[in-house]
Amino acid sequence: MTMTFDVKGFCPMGCGATLFAGYGGYIACSNASCPNPTAVADILDVRETEHIVTLRADEFTVRHPLRERVENELEECRFHRLLAALDGPPEPPGTYRVTVCRDNVWTWEPVRR
């Protein structure tokens, strides 16, 4: 017999309070019409804890670490503001893991995809 338990929280796909934990603690959405019932598990499976930045010649994208969402800092991200204020990309085009070190020095590490 497989036991399931309701999980407090909401499906990120918009289904509402439909989450459950199944055997082994795997979290999923119980809504049969959910477009991605494993979205929560997929989010929790991401091990990245730093900013992932993709630079192009005239634009950039930032995947923020989840801690910024939890700490309600997503809209106030210092790093995003710093990038937006630059005249051009601070590194050659590509994808980077960016971490802040002492004294607000940002370290750029290329990410292999």
Side-chain angles (χ1 to χ4, degrees):
M1 179 170 110
T2 302
M3 296 189 63
T4 63
F5 302 92
D6 289 341
V7 173
K8 291 184 179 185
F10 299 89
C11 174
M13 303 307 294
C15 299
T18 55
L19 299 177
F20 71 96
Y23 181 75
Y26 192 79
I27 299 173
C29 177
S30 63
N31 183 341
S33 63
C34 180
N36 186 354
T38 63
V40 169
D42 296 342
I43 291 168
L44 293 174
D45 195 40
V46 173
R47 294 185 171 113
E48 185 59 63
T49 59
E50 301 299 336
H51 292 85
I52 299 297
V53 180
T54 300
L55 298 174
R56 294 175 193 82
D58 57 351
E59 65 180 5
F60 67 90
T61 58
V62 178
R63 187 176 74 197
H64 298 270
L66 288 177
R67 69 174 174 269
E68 287 187 355
R69 179 80 182 255
V70 172
E71 296 170 357
N72 203 24
E73 295 177 356
L74 194 57
E75 291 81 15
E76 300 298 323
C77 177
R78 291 181 304 131
F79 179 67
H80 191 276
R81 286 195 319 258
L82 173 120
L83 280 179
L86 296 175
D87 292 334
E91 296 285 331
T95 301
Y96 299 86
R97 174 178 296 104
V98 183
T99 57
V100 64
C101 300
R102 294 185 327 247
D103 303 320
N104 286 327
V105 174
W106 297 91
T107 302
W108 295 74
E109 173 190 350
V111 173
R112 309 272 183 247
R113 289 200 165 200

